[in-house]
Amino acid sequence: GAVVSQHPSWVICKSGTSVKIECRSLDFQATTMFWYRQFPKQSLMLMATSNEGSKATYEQGVEKDKFLINHASLTLSTLTVTSAHPEDSSFYICSAFPGDRGPEAFFGQGTRLTVV
Amino acid sequence: GIQVEQSPPDLILQEGANSTLRCNFSDSVNNLQWFHQNPWGQLINLFYIPSGTKQNGRLSATTVATERYSLLYISSSQTTDSGVYFCAAMEYGNKLVFGAGTILRVKS
């Protein structure tokens, strides 16, 4: 399978600060990556589609100014949670499709964000 | 958009027992995947199975695309099988839509 890596695995930040989460495809190039959010005991909900070299596409109800996405290269997408508040505390997971190596999506290990 | 429903929501098994998890989806799909989320949150790919049957060790999966459902079979369950099992179907734009998951607990 393909390898998708996220960093950091967990982070604690103070209210009002910003946090950046990185998602890397280690052994393939990804023109598109996806960011999901998962609250405790709930399913994964798609937040946005990250597109290399262009603007991200956000799902309905997701604030684009709060969740900044940058996909500056074919192997890296970043999600920045700006002016974080306790209600932003969640598990954030990215995914990508390796494309020519098959139709499956592969996921990073996730980032657990706690805002205090 | 596509709707994905999973059942049962919770399942408790004695070690060694077999189980069947079900996933219903509301529209035809050309991508359906099963995942196991371990206690640390990592999603482990189990099967890519838009149709047909696949087996991998003690796990197997069957998707009947014409009837819009998929089944995941776990045989001879082990405590390490515990966790949350998700199915996900793809809609437009390569977006995966996840079901609510089945929480499996295997007791020794």
Side-chain angles (χ1 to χ4, degrees):
Chain A
V3 182
V4 178
S5 179
Q6 269 182 254
H7 178 80
S9 296
W10 59 271
V11 58
I12 302 173
C13 71
K14 292 184 177 181
S15 265
T17 62
S18 295
V19 173
K20 181 185 284 188
I21 302 169
E22 294 185 348
C23 177
R24 294 182 185 273
S25 55
L26 297 187
D27 54 357
F28 65 96
Q29 294 183 330
T31 56
T32 303
M33 291 183 175
F34 301 87
W35 288 96
Y36 293 81
R37 179 168 52 183
Q38 184 181 29
F39 291 109
K41 300 190 185 301
Q42 294 188 22
S43 188
L44 283 76
M45 297 298 294
L46 181 65
M47 298 175 64
T49 303
S50 172
N51 303 299
E52 189 267 335
S54 65
K55 291 183 179 180
T57 306
Y58 292 82
E59 296 300 300
Q60 191 172 7
V62 178
E63 300 174 59
K64 62 180 180 181
D65 294 330
K66 180 165 192 60
F67 299 100
L68 299 180
I69 291 173
N70 184 278
H71 195 148
S73 78
L74 288 172
T75 58
L76 174 64
S77 174
T78 61
L79 169 68
T80 301
V81 184
T82 63
S83 187
H85 289 99
E87 57 265 31
D88 299 323
S89 297
S90 188
F91 192 60
Y92 293 87
I93 315 176
C94 68
S95 79
F97 291 83
D100 57 358
R101 274 196 280 164
E104 293 178 71
F106 288 86
F107 285 77
Q109 67 268 46
T111 298
R112 193 164 303 281
L113 170 63
T114 302
V115 184
V116 297
Chain B
I2 194 167
Q3 306 293 318
V4 180
E5 296 181 352
Q6 290 186 244
S7 60
D10 297 276
L11 188 58
I12 300 174
L13 296 176
Q14 195 64 38
E15 197 169 28
N18 304 328
S19 64
T20 301
L21 282 57
R22 187 177 178 104
C23 173
N24 293 332
F25 40 94
S26 61
D27 206 345
S28 58
V29 297
N30 56 16
N31 182 332
L32 187 125
Q33 293 185 240
W34 282 95
F35 299 91
H36 175 212
Q37 188 170 39
N38 66 23
W40 298 272
Q42 174 77 58
L43 280 172
I44 310 298
N45 288 42
L46 297 178
F47 293 102
Y48 164 77
I49 187 162
S51 64
T53 298
K54 289 185 179 180
Q55 181 157 6
N56 184 1
R58 295 181 297 103
L59 302 182
S60 64
T62 295
T63 297
V64 183
T66 53
E67 297 186 21
R68 299 179 184 172
Y69 72 87
S70 183
L71 302 174
L72 177 69
Y73 305 97
I74 304 174
S75 64
S76 304
S77 58
Q78 301 176 358
T79 56
T80 51
D81 294 332
S82 297
V84 186
Y85 289 81
F86 289 105
C87 71
M90 184 182 288
E91 61 177 10
Y92 67 92
N94 283 354
K95 301 177 185 180
L96 282 177
V97 177
F98 282 77
T102 293
I103 301 172
L104 174 64
R105 284 188 287 165
V106 181
K107 294 185 171 181
S108 58

